[in-house]
Amino acid sequence: MKIVIIGSGAMGSLFAGFLAKAKEDVWLLDNNPQRAEKISEEGIKSQGVSGSWQVKVKMTTDPKEIGPADLIIIAVKSYHTKEAIKNIESIVAESTMILTLQNGLGNIEVISEVFGPERVIGGITNQGATLLKIANIKHAGTGETIIGRIDGKIPVGLRSLRETFNKAGIETRISKDIKALIWSKLIINVGINALTAITRLPNGKLLEFEGTRKIMEQAVSEAVRVAKRKRIKLIYDDPLAKVEAVCQATAANISSMLQDVQKKKHTEIDFINGVIVRQAQSLGLAAPVNTMLTNLVKTIEASYNNVVAC
Ligand code: PAF
């Protein structure tokens, strides 16, 4: 399968590495020439739960160099999706599938608007990876990847994508209700990410303090109210218990949002807690805790360069 992965962060590099090791025709596309040069020279290096490995991948900043692909994986942060799918017509053919496994809500819609919903595949992944430096990742945890179409249909292409991923060692299954999965993952991120970014605590530590536990409970319950009103059927019965279980299972993890804050980067707050605030507003529901979390993370982002040392 000819696979183009857009974005060479932790997740893009992890998927590129596994698929390249399985001898798929993998290309990484990134608009940063330094990253492109480094990865072209050294390939991708990983250490962690899948052992230590290094693999060469083809890498470019110019989509025209690649030609039509069978599969495109969007692996940029959610706020870059629009930008990432601009000027990629040369790699999108009639039968090209476009997969998003990004955090948060709204990516399927953004891609569908440009390329049509029939070719878009959504999903979630429980793989955990951290970018140590360019081309160098830590494979922090492994878990299922679940993919599907928003209309629930399972065409041949989707089945062969599942086979390709499983053959490459990326444990994958198909779901007919991908919306439920994306919301179920969203609620986990709502409960964990902003809180870790604000407190600078690893996931597991959020459970050790009364304050963070209370805020987590309220943020999750506001999000669940929105999901219920939208008739989204979550995949677990007790959302707060699920968020706590994820905190325990990923206790030592530095969440993706805390990693962004540590690197003074833009975060995905608008696609996580911010989405809950906007959706609650449009449904006439209150979401004060998610509003506060969103405003605090935005303040952290806005003050990266003018924090007075005290
Ligand atoms: O965004 C993240 O970091 C992850 O989705 C999760 C589940 C919170 C684990 O760190």
Side-chain angles (χ1 to χ4, degrees), residues 103 185 188-189 192-193 203 246 250 253-257:
N103 269 343
K185 173 86 193 293
I188 292 169
N189 292 127
I192 298 176
N193 292 34
N203 299 352
V246 172
T250 62
N253 265 37
I254 303 298
S255 81
S256 54
M257 197 175 287

mmCIF file of all heavy atoms in Angstrom, residues 103 185 188-189 192-193 203 246 250 253-257, ligand 1:
data_model
loop_
_atom_site.group_PDB
_atom_site.id
_atom_site.type_symbol
_atom_site.label_atom_id
_atom_site.label_comp_id
_atom_site.label_asym_id
_atom_site.label_seq_id
_atom_site.Cartn_x
_atom_site.Cartn_y
_atom_site.Cartn_z
ATOM 1 N N ASN A 103 -6.515 13.780 18.069
ATOM 2 C CA ASN A 103 -7.283 14.071 19.279
ATOM 3 C C ASN A 103 -8.368 15.097 18.973
ATOM 4 O O ASN A 103 -8.221 15.916 18.075
ATOM 5 C CB ASN A 103 -6.370 14.731 20.332
ATOM 6 C CG ASN A 103 -5.714 13.706 21.245
ATOM 7 O OD1 ASN A 103 -6.139 12.555 21.332
ATOM 8 N ND2 ASN A 103 -4.677 14.140 21.945
ATOM 9 N N LYS A 185 -13.418 9.043 23.478
ATOM 10 C CA LYS A 185 -12.010 9.438 23.653
ATOM 11 C C LYS A 185 -11.937 10.917 24.050
ATOM 12 O O LYS A 185 -11.140 11.301 24.914
ATOM 13 C CB LYS A 185 -11.254 9.169 22.346
ATOM 14 C CG LYS A 185 -9.813 9.667 22.305
ATOM 15 C CD LYS A 185 -8.841 8.673 22.880
ATOM 16 C CE LYS A 185 -7.452 9.195 23.161
ATOM 17 N NZ LYS A 185 -6.648 9.562 22.033
ATOM 18 N N ILE A 188 -12.310 11.505 27.670
ATOM 19 C CA ILE A 188 -11.081 11.174 28.426
ATOM 20 C C ILE A 188 -10.108 12.361 28.356
ATOM 21 O O ILE A 188 -9.552 12.794 29.364
ATOM 22 C CB ILE A 188 -10.452 9.872 27.869
ATOM 23 C CG1 ILE A 188 -11.390 8.703 28.192
ATOM 24 C CG2 ILE A 188 -9.047 9.657 28.429
ATOM 25 C CD1 ILE A 188 -11.058 7.417 27.502
ATOM 26 N N ASN A 189 -9.941 12.914 27.164
ATOM 27 C CA ASN A 189 -9.048 14.067 27.017
ATOM 28 C C ASN A 189 -9.578 15.293 27.771
ATOM 29 O O ASN A 189 -8.797 16.075 28.321
ATOM 30 C CB ASN A 189 -8.838 14.414 25.530
ATOM 31 C CG ASN A 189 -8.054 13.346 24.786
ATOM 32 O OD1 ASN A 189 -8.472 12.853 23.756
ATOM 33 N ND2 ASN A 189 -6.910 12.960 25.325
ATOM 34 N N ILE A 192 -8.527 14.888 31.375
ATOM 35 C CA ILE A 192 -7.097 14.784 31.714
ATOM 36 C C ILE A 192 -6.253 15.954 31.190
ATOM 37 O O ILE A 192 -5.487 16.566 31.939
ATOM 38 C CB ILE A 192 -6.503 13.455 31.177
ATOM 39 C CG1 ILE A 192 -7.213 12.256 31.827
ATOM 40 C CG2 ILE A 192 -4.996 13.392 31.406
ATOM 41 C CD1 ILE A 192 -6.771 10.900 31.306
ATOM 42 N N ASN A 193 -6.391 16.266 29.896
ATOM 43 C CA ASN A 193 -5.356 17.082 29.243
ATOM 44 C C ASN A 193 -5.180 18.487 29.822
ATOM 45 O O ASN A 193 -4.060 18.875 30.173
ATOM 46 C CB ASN A 193 -5.604 17.141 27.731
ATOM 47 C CG ASN A 193 -5.381 15.791 27.076
ATOM 48 O OD1 ASN A 193 -5.666 14.762 27.685
ATOM 49 N ND2 ASN A 193 -4.897 15.768 25.856
ATOM 50 N N ASN A 203 -0.309 12.203 34.299
ATOM 51 C CA ASN A 203 -1.720 11.771 34.359
ATOM 52 C C ASN A 203 -2.121 11.154 35.698
ATOM 53 O O ASN A 203 -3.148 11.492 36.268
ATOM 54 C CB ASN A 203 -2.018 10.759 33.245
ATOM 55 C CG ASN A 203 -1.803 11.345 31.867
ATOM 56 O OD1 ASN A 203 -1.565 12.543 31.732
ATOM 57 N ND2 ASN A 203 -1.874 10.513 30.841
ATOM 58 N N VAL A 246 -8.024 5.456 32.925
ATOM 59 C CA VAL A 246 -6.992 5.860 31.957
ATOM 60 C C VAL A 246 -5.847 6.576 32.686
ATOM 61 O O VAL A 246 -4.667 6.355 32.391
ATOM 62 C CB VAL A 246 -7.588 6.737 30.821
ATOM 63 C CG1 VAL A 246 -6.489 7.307 29.926
ATOM 64 C CG2 VAL A 246 -8.584 5.942 29.988
ATOM 65 N N THR A 250 -2.104 5.147 32.496
ATOM 66 C CA THR A 250 -1.068 5.977 31.863
ATOM 67 C C THR A 250 -0.424 6.879 32.922
ATOM 68 O O THR A 250 -0.043 8.016 32.628
ATOM 69 C CB THR A 250 -1.678 6.848 30.730
ATOM 70 O OG1 THR A 250 -2.659 7.736 31.321
ATOM 71 C CG2 THR A 250 -2.349 6.038 29.652
ATOM 72 N N ASN A 253 2.541 8.997 32.233
ATOM 73 C CA ASN A 253 2.511 9.779 30.974
ATOM 74 C C ASN A 253 2.450 11.268 31.207
ATOM 75 O O ASN A 253 1.718 11.743 32.067
ATOM 76 C CB ASN A 253 1.216 9.479 30.193
ATOM 77 C CG ASN A 253 1.394 8.407 29.168
ATOM 78 O OD1 ASN A 253 2.123 7.462 29.409
ATOM 79 N ND2 ASN A 253 0.698 8.542 28.064
ATOM 80 N N ILE A 254 3.189 11.976 30.391
ATOM 81 C CA ILE A 254 3.029 13.425 30.293
ATOM 82 C C ILE A 254 2.031 13.600 29.152
ATOM 83 O O ILE A 254 2.326 13.230 28.017
ATOM 84 C CB ILE A 254 4.384 14.094 29.926
ATOM 85 C CG1 ILE A 254 5.467 13.726 30.966
ATOM 86 C CG2 ILE A 254 4.247 15.599 29.799
ATOM 87 C CD1 ILE A 254 5.185 14.184 32.364
ATOM 88 N N SER A 255 0.840 14.091 29.447
ATOM 89 C CA SER A 255 -0.204 14.158 28.411
ATOM 90 C C SER A 255 0.280 14.996 27.225
ATOM 91 O O SER A 255 1.193 15.804 27.366
ATOM 92 C CB SER A 255 -1.487 14.777 28.971
ATOM 93 O OG SER A 255 -1.365 16.187 28.986
ATOM 94 N N SER A 256 -0.370 14.799 26.101
ATOM 95 C CA SER A 256 0.061 15.535 24.899
ATOM 96 C C SER A 256 -0.048 17.047 25.129
ATOM 97 O O SER A 256 0.795 17.807 24.650
ATOM 98 C CB SER A 256 -0.779 15.115 23.691
ATOM 99 O OG SER A 256 -2.150 15.256 23.970
ATOM 100 N N MET A 257 -1.059 17.475 25.896
ATOM 101 C CA MET A 257 -1.206 18.923 26.107
ATOM 102 C C MET A 257 -0.125 19.462 27.041
ATOM 103 O O MET A 257 0.408 20.548 26.834
ATOM 104 C CB MET A 257 -2.601 19.252 26.653
ATOM 105 C CG MET A 257 -2.938 20.714 26.499
ATOM 106 S SD MET A 257 -4.619 21.138 26.983
ATOM 107 C CE MET A 257 -5.593 20.473 25.654
HETATM 108 O O1 PAF B 1 -3.561 13.244 24.780
HETATM 109 C C1 PAF B 1 -3.034 12.372 25.503
HETATM 110 O O2 PAF B 1 -1.983 12.540 26.109
HETATM 111 C C2 PAF B 1 -3.695 11.008 25.582
HETATM 112 O O3 PAF B 1 -4.821 11.018 24.722
HETATM 113 C C3 PAF B 1 -4.108 10.548 26.998
HETATM 114 C C4 PAF B 1 -5.127 9.443 26.893
HETATM 115 C C5 PAF B 1 -4.648 11.692 27.824
HETATM 116 C C6 PAF B 1 -2.926 9.914 27.693
HETATM 117 O O4 PAF B 1 -1.883 10.766 27.984
#
